[in-house]
Amino acid sequence: MTWRTADIPDLTGRLALVTGATSGLGYETALELLRHGADVLVAARNPEKAAQAAETLTQKAGRAPTVLELDLADLASVQRAAEEVVKSYDKLDLLINNAGVMAPPYRQTLDGFELQLGTNHLGHFALTGRLLPLLVKGSRVVTVSSFMHRTVRGLGEDDLRRPAGSYRKWESYGKSKLANLLFMLELDRRARAAGVDLLSVGAHPGYASTHLQAAGPELAGRALQAQLWAAATRVVAQSAAAGAWPSLYAATYPDLRPGSFVGPSFFEYRGTPKVVLPSRAAQDPELAERLWAWSVEATGVDPVLTVLK
């Protein structure tokens, strides 16, 4: 199958929210959605970077996005952002849970959770749950994972509050990406069980050149390591624009089946998007149910899909 962004249908009149849209995959995703007619909410933690991204998006797309302040590592910020969206709009056609952190030194969110699981999973879980009233018939939720989800085989409640002494940054990253897929597939199962026309799908970019690879060393104060990561990534990885193709395909391809997971076609490393298989652990419905229950307890958000009927 050959697919390019030119195959994206006209999105005029549709509203999309993209998290982490100031750079990398989120920026490229927002750009193409704008180019194809969608109204786009650029959700980002840093207002200054968000304003700069909005300016360049407007120049390139010829249409301006709307900036939404959102810190996924702060559940109060998630609540404020969701309430603002619910107050301002009567529907949300596309929710693209894209933002994330990768392999930083040990940190906690403002609510005391391990940073990667707290940001990559819990923040998006709470955001999706709070935005459910806007996810009307035909809406899509795209949750961005990584092939790194294949590097771990399980997930426990203690991972959410893992202490510094037992923290392994790459293991925690893999678990956060596994959590993304478990959430995506459980949201799909619950939507179908409730008879709700909500499409929950996932995507991963393969190996794409973004700032994400250097962000961890930067947080650790290792400037040289960050520079080496960035240089190596530019040499071997595909562009951020190509890395965004699976997310865009998942968000817009007309005949995509519920619960689909989209990645690059060439060994899931690079190339045009196609539907791929998640790991066995990601397809474990019992683990997904446990993660859902842990997430409800941790965030105080209980997504009830029957409100959409």
Side-chain angles (χ1 to χ4, degrees):
M1 178 189 67
T2 300
W3 181 92
R4 291 293 185 270
T5 54
D7 297 317
I8 297 173
D10 181 21
L11 301 174
T12 300
R14 307 198 76 189
L15 178 67
L17 190 160
V18 184
T19 67
T22 58
S23 65
L25 305 177
Y27 175 90
E28 298 295 341
T29 300
L31 176 61
E32 290 301 332
L33 294 177
L34 283 166
R35 282 174 170 168
H36 288 82
D39 297 315
V40 178
L41 302 178
V42 171
R45 177 178 57 84
N46 187 311
E48 182 178 334
K49 288 184 178 179
Q52 292 172 352
E55 183 177 349
T56 58
L57 285 168
T58 302
Q59 293 171 354
K60 290 186 177 182
R63 302 176 61 252
T66 299
V67 172
L68 176 70
E69 187 173 347
L70 169 67
D71 183 353
L72 290 163
D74 178 1
L75 292 174
S77 173
V78 173
Q79 181 174 355
R80 288 192 298 269
E83 289 175 348
E84 181 178 340
V85 176
V86 170
K87 180 180 178 181
S88 302
Y89 302 94
D90 59 4
K91 67 170 184 174
L92 180 61
D93 300 286
L94 295 172
L95 172 58
I96 302 181
N97 292 325
N98 163 82
V101 292
M102 183 174 76
Y106 183 78
R107 296 285 192 279
Q108 290 184 340
T109 68
L110 288 179
D111 304 282
F113 301 106
E114 188 277 310
L115 182 64
Q116 296 190 85
L117 272 160
T119 302
N120 300 354
H121 167 63
L122 288 178
H124 283 124
F125 178 91
L127 180 67
T128 304
R130 292 191 180 280
L131 291 176
L132 276 181
L134 299 186
L135 297 173
V136 297
K137 182 177 180 180
S139 294
R140 291 193 189 193
V141 177
V142 180
T143 302
V144 180
S145 181
S146 163
F147 55 58
M148 288 291 289
H149 86 278
R150 302 185 189 282
T151 64
V152 295
R153 297 183 179 181
L155 185 66
E157 184 177 8
D158 56 343
D159 287 311
L160 301 178
R161 296 187 183 273
R162 182 164 294 280
S166 61
Y167 175 71
R168 297 179 179 85
K169 61 184 181 181
W170 287 109
E171 179 186 36
S172 290
Y173 179 69
K175 288 187 174 185
S176 75
K177 296 289 99 180
L178 173 60
N180 286 151
L181 279 181
L182 288 164
F183 166 62
M184 180 276 285
L185 289 167
E186 183 64 13
L187 180 62
D188 169 59
R189 281 188 285 266
R190 289 177 181 243
R192 287 187 285 110
V196 171
D197 185 15
L198 172 68
L199 190 67
S200 175
V201 292
H204 83 82
Y207 191 16
S209 180
T210 71
H211 180 67
L212 194 61
Q213 290 87 358
E218 286 176 354
L219 283 172
R222 298 171 181 168
L224 178 59
Q225 185 180 1
Q227 292 172 7
L228 291 174
W229 260 111
T233 298
R234 285 194 295 270
V235 171
V236 302
Q238 63 180 348
S239 67
W245 289 350
S247 295
L248 289 162
Y249 183 94
T252 65
Y253 189 72
D255 300 321
L256 197 62
R257 297 183 62 180
S260 293
F261 182 39
V262 182
S265 57
F266 184 71
F267 296 100
E268 297 189 44
Y269 172 74
R270 63 190 307 146
T272 55
K274 70 172 186 177
V275 175
V276 298
L277 283 176
S279 69
R280 181 177 297 180
Q283 298 180 67
D284 183 345
E286 293 183 1
L287 180 56
E289 283 191 18
R290 291 198 298 273
L291 176 64
W292 190 283
W294 301 333
S295 302
V296 169
E297 182 178 358
T299 64
V301 179
D302 188 1
V304 179
L305 278 80
T306 53
V307 302
L308 302 180
K309 299 185 72 173

